[in-house]
Amino acid sequence: MKVVRIKYAHSEPLFWRARLNVVEAGNLESARLIAEGVAEVGYVPITLAAELGLPVVPRLAIYSAGPMYSARLFAGRGGGGPCAVSETTVSARVLTKLMGISFRKIDDPWRGLEECSQVLAVGDEALKMVDKGVGHITDVGELWWERVGTPLFFAVLVARRWDAEVKRAVEEMENSVAAFYENPLPLVEQVARRLGVRRELVEEYYMRSRYFVPRDGIRHMEREAEILGLPRLKFLDV
């Protein structure tokens, strides 16, 4: 059975100790892989889970309760108006809803800093911009927390079915996160080296990242979908 992993550093704690057949994908491709049956379970942006009717497993997710660092609107130096990387869906939708910003899609956020007045970057490139001290206008997770007062779910775990095999995969990921929390330093140093950023930034990043869905998580996800104008989420009974 194949499990989809979103390719950014925020996924590392979920998979570094998990014994799984992993398929790595970007935000948009991840949903396609599961919707088309290439994989049975994995992480997708909450926007696409709602729009495609992919059932959510309410045990694991990638979310924040405040600043996330890897989803920020940076200050650009160009006159091309606001731009967003083509891989983002949740963050762009949040900023459009809460700040009324319309974005032009770009593929290279670093080039966007020269061409655009504002650049929404996500994932590893956003972390690299934070490390280099690129000025930002707002952090998406922080904005949501201040305006809405609930955690912001970026990616949710979805599955085409719920059975013993899928349950085992979920438990592998839960155990991986638990192992990370017991001894985070090896993974922190590994990610810092791979991205070429300060270890202290990665430590802070993982302190702010959340993975285990809390007891009221379903309610918060439903509220998020409602605010963002998404179809009603479906949840698996696990």
Side-chain angles (χ1 to χ4, degrees):
M1 184 185 69
K2 295 179 180 179
V3 180
V4 174
R5 164 191 164 146
I6 295 178
K7 63 183 180 181
Y8 301 130
H10 60 34
S11 298
E12 294 282 2
L14 292 158
F15 289 95
W16 81 308
R17 289 291 184 263
R19 296 163 296 178
L20 297 168
N21 182 11
V22 175
V23 179
E24 200 168 66
N27 279 330
L28 305 183
E29 186 187 8
S30 64
R32 180 187 63 80
L33 291 173
I34 295 175
E36 294 179 359
V38 176
E40 293 297 320
V41 61
Y43 295 86
V44 306
I46 191 172
T47 47
L48 298 181
E51 290 170 350
L52 298 175
L54 300 173
V56 176
V57 179
R59 285 172 53 166
L60 291 167
I62 299 170
Y63 66 102
S64 73
M68 182 64 166
Y69 291 2
S70 62
R72 281 188 169 181
L73 183 64
F74 293 92
R77 296 178 287 272
C83 300
V85 291
S86 57
E87 269 292 295
T88 184
T89 170
V90 177
S91 296
R93 196 152 188 155
V94 168
L95 293 181
T96 297
K97 185 67 177 182
L98 299 185
M99 296 182 68
I101 302 175
S102 297
F103 293 99
R104 174 170 64 90
K105 291 295 182 69
I106 57 171
D107 291 323
D108 184 351
W110 295 95
R111 183 176 176 181
L113 291 175
E114 302 297 328
E115 298 177 349
C116 308
S117 59
Q118 302 167 34
V119 179
L120 173 58
V122 299
D124 296 354
E125 295 307 311
L127 284 177
K128 292 175 184 178
M129 288 183 175
V130 172
D131 186 65
K132 290 187 177 298
V134 178
H136 74 283
I137 298 163
T138 189
D139 181 291
V140 178
E142 185 174 24
L143 176 70
W144 184 269
W145 184 256
E146 291 175 349
R147 297 279 186 91
V148 180
T150 63
L152 177 61
F153 289 82
F154 292 92
V156 293
L157 180 62
V158 301
R160 292 170 58 85
R161 66 180 194 274
W162 182 254
D163 59 17
E165 190 177 18
V166 174
K167 181 181 179 184
R168 187 195 68 79
V170 173
E171 290 172 347
E172 283 285 325
M173 291 181 279
E174 289 173 335
N175 292 338
S176 180
V177 175
F180 168 72
Y181 285 142
E182 287 179 4
N183 184 22
L185 188 58
L187 182 59
V188 167
E189 292 181 336
Q190 175 184 316
V191 171
R193 287 194 299 269
R194 178 171 64 81
L195 297 183
V197 302
R198 290 172 291 114
R199 188 188 75 181
E200 294 78 11
L201 172 60
V202 179
E203 286 178 322
E204 181 72 15
Y205 178 53
Y206 285 134
M207 283 179 58
R208 296 185 178 279
S209 300
R210 303 285 186 271
Y211 300 100
F212 292 115
V213 174
R215 182 171 299 178
D216 53 358
I218 290 178
R219 179 169 56 85
H220 292 325
M221 290 183 210
E222 290 177 332
R223 177 63 173 151
E224 181 175 337
E226 179 185 357
I227 292 172
L228 296 181
L230 298 168
R232 189 175 181 84
L233 289 162
K234 299 177 181 179
F235 294 92
L236 288 169
D237 184 8
V238 299

